[in-house]
C-alpha cells in the first residue's frame, strides 16, 4: 500500500490551500508586533520584553486553540458536509488510517502555528523592548526555561481541546457544533476550575477541567485545588485517560458509521 | 463468458432499525459487462451501491470484489473499484488537478503520466488548473469520471451517472463506458431510473423493487439468440390490409391495427406469411417485429406500485 505520508500531504493540502488558513496565520503574525507597538507608544518603554511576550503568548494561545479547533472540526465534518467523504473513503485505506492522517495533520497545524507564535512574540518584543533583566520564574528557572515550559504545557492543553473537537466532529458530523462545544469546553473549563477549586472534595481532582491549565506547575506549584495538592504527573495521567477516551469514541464512531449523506 | 466475476453479491441484506432495506440481493458482474441496476426511487439502488463500495455495512451476506471480501479485506477489494456515488462532489477550493492528485496519492499505481492521460481522456486539459468552484456540473462529472478510472479499476461503479448531463454528455459517457468495457474488460455497474438510458448502455439489467431483485434479464443477448420460438407481435405494412387479412384467414390471430396488419408469429411464421401475401399479389412495404422496450418490461414486472 502507498505511503502513509501521502495521506498527511493530502490533509495538508486541504488545510493550506484555503485562504482561511492564511488569514488565521496573518493574525498570529501581526497581532504581537501591533500589541507591543501599542504598549510601547502608550509609554511602556521601560517594561521588559519577557513579560510582554508572556502576556501575548497567553492571548495567542487562545487564538491558536480556536483555530486548531476550527481545522479539526472541518477536517471530518467538512468532508461530510461537502459530500467528499464518499470519494475519500473508497480508497485502499482503512477508515482508522484516514482518521489518523486527519488527526496528525491537525496537530501539525497547531504545532506550526505555535512555533510561529513563539518566534513572532519573541522577535517583536526583543526588538521593541529589549530583554530587560526581569525574572519570570519564582523558583529560579531561567526565562528561557520558563517560556519553553509555558509553551509545552499550553500545547498539552491544546491537544486535549483539539482532540475533544475532533471527537465532536466525527460524532456529530457538524462542524459548527464541534467548534461551539470545544470552545465552550475551553472557556467553561476556566469557570468550572474556579468553582470546583472551592469545593473541598477529593473527587474534584479527577475532573478533566481541573487539569486543562498546567501552568501552575511551571514553578513547582501544587496543582489547581488548594486543599488537595496534585503533581504534574498526576495531572498528565488524568489527561491521558480522557485523551484515550475521546479518541476511542472518535475511532469507534468513524469506523462504524454508515455513510448515507 | 466463463471468466470469474469481478463483483459477486451473495444474499446481501441491510436492516436499518426494524426495516429491511435490502433483502437477500445476489448477483454477479463479469469482466467486460455493463450491468444496469434499475428500480424506482427508494427501491434500494443507492444503498446497495454504497454497500458494494464499503460506505455502508452489511447486516448479512457478503460482497467479493476480485475475490476479496469487502468485509474482511477491504483495502484489497476496494483497490479494484472506481466509483462515483451520486453527484461527483469535489473539493471546491482546490483545482481540478489538485483534486485528482489528492486521490492519486491514495493509490500506489497512479503515476503523474497517468493523471495527464485521464485529464486528456475526459477533455479537461484546458481547465484542469482552475478551481473546481468555477466548474459547470458537466465539468465536475468529467472530473468525477477521471478520478474513478485513473487507477484502471476492474470494476467501475456509477450511481445515476447521467444526472445533470446534457444529451451530448450522456451520449459521450455511454460510448465511453461501452468502450471501456470492450477494450479494457472493465466491469461496469450503473444504477439509474432512466429506462431508455439503461437500454442503450447495458448488457444486463437487474430490476430492484422494495429491496429485492425481482428480475435479471439480458438486453443485448436477446436479438442474438436467434432461434426464438416465442411468439411476438409482428406488423406487416401492406397496400390492402383487408384483402391481406382474407388471404391469411385461418392463420393465427391476424387483425388490423391502425391500417397495419398485425399478428402473432415466430420467425418461421413471418416468412410463411410474407410468401403467401406476395404470392397473392399484395405489396409488402415493411415487416416489423414489435420488441418490447425495457420500459414495457419494467412496468410489466414492477406494476405501477407506489414507493413502499
Amino acid at each position: 500500500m502507498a505511503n502513509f505520508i501521502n495521506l498527511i500531504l493530502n490533509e495538508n493540502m486541504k488545510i493550506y490551500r484555503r485562504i482561511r488558513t492564511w488569514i488565521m496565520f496573518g493574525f498570529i503574525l501581526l497581532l504581537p508586533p501591533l500589541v507591543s507597538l501599542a504598549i510601547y507608544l502608550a509609554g511602556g518603554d521601560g517594561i521588559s520584553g519577557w513579560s510582554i511576550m508572556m502576556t501575548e503568548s497567553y492571548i495567542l494561545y487562545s487564538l491558536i486553540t480556536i483555530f486548531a479547533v476550527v481545522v479539526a472540526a472541518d477536517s471530518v465534518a467538512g468532508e461530510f458536509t461537502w459530500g467528499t467523504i464518499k470519494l475519500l473513503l473508497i480508497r485502499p485505506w482503512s477508515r482508522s488510517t484516514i482518521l489518523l492522517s486527519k488527526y496528525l495533520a491537525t496537530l501539525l497545524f497547531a504545532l506550526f502555528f505555535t512555533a510561529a507564535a513563539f518566534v513572532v512574540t519573541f522577535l517583536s518584543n526583543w526588538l521593541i523592548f529589549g530583554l530587560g533583566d526581569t525574572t519570570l520564574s519564582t523558583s529560579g528557572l531561567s526565562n528561557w526555561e520558563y517560556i519553553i515550559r509555558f509553551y509545552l504545557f499550553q500545547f498539552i492543553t491544546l491537544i486535549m481541546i483539539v482532540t475533544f473537537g475532533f471527537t465532536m466532529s466525527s460524532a456529530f458530523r457538524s462542524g459548527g457544533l464541534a467548534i461551539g462545544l470545544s470552545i465552550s469546553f475551553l472557556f467553561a473549563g476556566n469557570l468550572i476550575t474556579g468553582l470546583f477549586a472551592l469545593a473541598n472534595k477529593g473527587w474534584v481532582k479527577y475532573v478533566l477541567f481541573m487539569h486543562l491549565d498546567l501552568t501552575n506547575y511551571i514553578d513547582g506549584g501544587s496543582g489547581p485545588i488548594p486543599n488537595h495538592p496534585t503533581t504534574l504527573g498526576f495531572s498528565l495521567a488524568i489527561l491521558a485517560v480522557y485523551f484515550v477516551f475521546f479518541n476511542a469514541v472518535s475511532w469507534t464512531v468513524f469506523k462504524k458509521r454508515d455513510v448515507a449523506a | 463468458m466463463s471468466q470469474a466475476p469481478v463483483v459477486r453479491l451473495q444474499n446481501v441484506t441491510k436492516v436499518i432499525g426494524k426495516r429491511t432495506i435490502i433483502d437477500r440481493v445476489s448477483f454477479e458482474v463479469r469482466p467486460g459487462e455493463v450491468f444496469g441496476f434499475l428500480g424506482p426511487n427508494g427501491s434500494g439502488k443507492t444503498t446497495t451501491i454504497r454497500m458494494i463500495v464499503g460506505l455502508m455495512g452489511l447486516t448479512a451476506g457478503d460482497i467479493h470484489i476480485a475475490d476479496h471480501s469487502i468485509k474482511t479485506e477491504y483495502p484489497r477489494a476496494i483497490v479494484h473499484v472506481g466509483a462515483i456515488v451520486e453527484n461527483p462532489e469535489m473539493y471546491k477550493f482546490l483545482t481540478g488537478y489538485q483534486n485528482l492528485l489528492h486521490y492519486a496519492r491514495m493509490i500506489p499505481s497512479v503515476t503523474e503520466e497517468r493523471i495527464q492521460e485521464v485529464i486528456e481522456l475526459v477533455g479537461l486539459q484546458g481547465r484542469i488548473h482552475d478551481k473546481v468552484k468555477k466548474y459547470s456540473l458537466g465539468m465536475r462529472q468529467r472530473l468525477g469520471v477521471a478520478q474513478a478510472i485513473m487507477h484502471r479499476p476492474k470494476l467501475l461503479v456509477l450511481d445515476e451517472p447521467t444526472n445533470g448531463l446534457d444529451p451530448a454528455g450522456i451520449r459521450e459517457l455511454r460510448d465511453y463506458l461501452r468502450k471501456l468495457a470492450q477494450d479494457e474488460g472493465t466491469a461496469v455497474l450503473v444504477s439509474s431510473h432512466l429506462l431508455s438510458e439503461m437500454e442503450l448502455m447495458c448488457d444486463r439489467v437487474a430490476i430492484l423493487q422494495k429491496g429485492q431483485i425481482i428480475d435479471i434479464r439480458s438486453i443485448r443477448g436477446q436479438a442474438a439468440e436467434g432461434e426464438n420460438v416465442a411468439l411476438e407481435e409482428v406488423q406487416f405494412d401492406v397496400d390492402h390490409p383487408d384483402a391481406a387479412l382474407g388471404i391469411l384467414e385461418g392463420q393465427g390471430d391476424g387483425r388490423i391495427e391502425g391500417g397495419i396488419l398485425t399478428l402473432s408469429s415466430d420467425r418461421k411464421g413471418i416468412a410463411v406469411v410474407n410468401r403467401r401475401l406476395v404470392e397473392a399479389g399484395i405489396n409488402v412495404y415493411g415487416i416489423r417485429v414489435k420488441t418490447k422496450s425495457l420500459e414495457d418490461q419494467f412496468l410489466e414486472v414492477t406494476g405501477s406500485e407506489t414507493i413502499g
Side-chain angles (χ1 to χ4, degrees):
Chain A
M1 297 288 123
N3 213 326
F4 177 69
I5 300 291
N6 279 343
L7 295 195
I8 305 261
L9 288 179
N10 274 346
E11 294 310 319
N12 281 346
M13 179 165 75
K14 287 182 265 183
I15 295 174
Y16 302 108
R17 290 282 178 186
R18 299 186 73 177
I19 295 166
R20 181 181 84 179
T21 306
W22 298 103
I23 295 175
M24 294 175 184
F25 195 63
F27 274 103
I28 303 293
L29 287 190
L30 292 180
L31 213 56
L34 289 180
V35 170
S36 298
L37 208 59
I39 295 175
Y40 182 79
L41 293 177
D45 54 346
I47 306 171
S48 156
W50 288 113
S51 350
I52 308 287
M53 180 177 176
M54 271 305 295
T55 315
E56 286 172 359
S57 298
Y58 251 117
I59 301 167
L60 283 192
Y61 241 103
S62 308
L63 271 183
I64 295 173
T65 309
I66 292 170
F67 293 162
V69 160
V70 169
V71 169
D74 240 10
S75 178
V76 180
E79 302 269 3
F80 279 93
T81 315
W82 301 326
T84 45
I85 189 77
K86 292 178 290 191
L87 289 181
L88 182 68
L89 292 183
I90 55 167
R91 309 290 148 178
W93 290 96
S94 69
R95 288 193 183 185
S96 16
T97 321
I98 291 176
L99 193 64
L100 180 66
S101 72
K102 288 185 166 298
Y103 186 71
L104 291 181
T106 309
L107 290 188
L108 284 175
F109 167 89
L111 197 61
F112 166 51
F113 270 46
T114 303
F118 186 88
V119 171
V120 170
T121 48
F122 176 74
L123 283 183
S124 41
N125 293 304
W126 179 41
L127 292 176
I128 293 173
F129 298 103
L131 302 174
D133 53 1
T134 317
T135 313
L136 297 169
S137 170
T138 53
S139 65
L141 294 172
S142 78
N143 285 341
W144 280 113
E145 279 174 314
Y146 188 89
I147 293 255
I148 286 171
R149 281 191 196 197
F150 173 80
Y151 270 80
L152 191 69
F153 289 171
Q154 290 287 64
F155 197 71
I156 292 171
T157 308
L158 179 141
I159 290 178
M160 291 306 295
I161 309 268
V162 165
T163 306
F164 177 77
F166 210 74
T167 306
M168 294 302 110
S169 180
S170 13
F172 298 118
R173 284 169 299 161
S174 154
L177 191 58
I179 294 170
L181 285 174
S182 312
I183 290 175
S184 41
F185 187 96
L186 175 65
F187 291 114
N190 293 335
L191 289 174
I192 293 173
T193 310
L195 280 176
F196 276 25
L198 299 174
N200 196 8
K201 295 278 189 293
W203 55 263
V204 164
K205 63 184 178 185
Y206 298 104
V207 174
L208 168 65
F209 294 112
M210 307 309 289
H211 305 281
L212 282 181
D213 185 3
L214 298 172
T215 50
N216 177 275
Y217 294 116
I218 296 178
D219 274 324
S222 61
I225 317 149
N227 295 327
H228 297 276
T230 48
T231 62
L232 177 61
F234 178 82
S235 286
L236 290 179
I238 295 285
L239 292 180
V241 169
Y242 283 97
F243 177 83
V244 169
F245 171 73
F246 288 147
N247 277 323
V249 173
S250 320
W251 254 255
T252 318
V253 172
F254 193 70
K255 267 187 88 78
K256 296 274 178 237
R257 179 180 306 286
D258 277 347
V259 179
Chain B
M1 270 192 264
S2 57
Q3 287 163 289
V6 176
V7 60
R8 192 167 78 239
L9 278 79
Q10 294 158 301
N11 291 317
V12 170
T13 301
K14 178 76 181 174
V15 180
I16 297 178
K18 281 182 182 166
R19 284 195 53 191
T20 305
I21 308 285
I22 301 294
D23 190 8
R24 284 161 294 157
V25 163
S26 301
F27 64 86
E28 299 178 345
V29 187
R30 294 183 285 264
E33 184 181 38
V34 182
F35 189 88
F37 214 43
L38 193 58
N41 290 333
S43 57
K45 297 185 299 275
T46 298
T47 305
T48 311
I49 281 182
R50 282 170 192 267
M51 290 196 286
I52 294 173
V53 297
L55 289 176
M56 290 178 112
L58 284 67
T59 309
D62 202 353
I63 298 173
H64 286 83
I65 298 166
D67 281 329
H68 297 290
S69 161
I70 62 152
K71 285 163 95 174
T72 54
E73 307 171 276
Y74 182 71
R76 281 161 176 276
I78 203 69
V79 74
H80 300 294
V81 181
I84 305 180
V85 183
E86 288 176 322
N87 308 314
E89 278 116 348
M90 298 286 163
Y91 301 102
K92 291 199 170 81
F93 51 89
L94 298 180
T95 66
Y97 184 81
Q98 286 162 349
N99 268 284
L100 290 183
L101 180 66
H102 176 268
Y103 297 117
R105 277 181 182 151
M106 300 183 81
I107 302 167
S109 63
V110 183
T111 60
E112 183 72 21
E113 294 78 53
R114 177 62 183 161
I115 300 181
Q116 292 301 338
E117 201 178 307
V118 289
I119 291 170
E120 279 169 37
L121 203 66
V122 299
L124 275 178
Q125 54 272 53
R127 299 285 306 276
I128 198 67
H129 292 293
D130 285 1
K131 291 226 160 106
V132 170
K133 64 177 134 199
K134 293 183 186 156
Y135 281 18
S136 67
L137 181 56
M139 290 167 71
R140 290 215 304 274
Q141 280 280 12
R142 283 160 190 262
L143 195 59
V145 171
Q147 65 78 29
I149 60 170
M150 131 176 108
H151 51 296
R152 300 179 206 276
K154 288 184 179 163
L155 173 68
L156 187 59
V157 180
L158 303 172
D159 191 11
E160 306 276 358
T162 54
N163 264 3
L165 285 187
D166 56 19
I170 294 180
R171 175 164 192 153
E172 203 177 314
L173 180 72
R174 185 203 309 148
D175 291 347
Y176 181 68
L177 290 183
R178 293 232 56 94
K179 188 167 167 292
L180 203 63
Q182 260 157 33
D183 299 355
E184 306 211 14
T186 310
V188 182
L189 176 65
V190 281
S191 83
S192 182
H193 58 269
L194 293 174
L195 303 146
S196 49
E197 263 318 308
M198 298 295 261
E199 203 164 15
L200 289 168
M201 215 184 277
C202 302
D203 299 307
R204 281 198 302 152
V205 169
I207 298 176
L208 195 68
Q209 192 185 28
K210 292 183 180 172
Q212 288 180 313
I213 288 193
I214 49 179
D215 198 16
I216 297 183
R217 52 181 67 192
S218 40
I219 292 182
R220 275 157 206 275
Q222 278 179 346
E225 277 160 25
E227 297 304 310
N228 203 342
V229 286
L231 293 180
E232 284 180 291
E233 293 278 281
V234 187
Q235 296 179 320
F236 289 83
D237 188 3
V238 295
D239 54 358
H240 299 293
D242 294 316
L245 196 60
I247 292 160
L248 295 175
E249 201 62 62
Q251 185 161 10
D253 59 344
R255 63 195 179 276
I256 293 165
E257 281 178 8
I260 304 276
L261 174 66
T262 308
L263 50 84
S264 305
S265 173
D266 58 11
R267 255 168 90 82
K268 283 180 184 158
I270 296 172
V272 172
V273 170
N274 186 39
R275 187 170 342 108
R276 286 180 63 178
L277 291 174
V278 174
E279 279 168 359
I282 289 175
N283 291 327
V284 179
Y285 300 118
I287 303 173
R288 196 149 38 105
V289 179
K290 270 177 76 180
T291 24
K292 275 186 199 154
S293 73
L294 187 59
E295 184 164 355
D296 296 332
Q297 297 181 18
F298 177 69
L299 290 175
E300 192 178 284
V301 200
T302 59
S304 51
E305 285 189 66
T306 49
I307 296 166

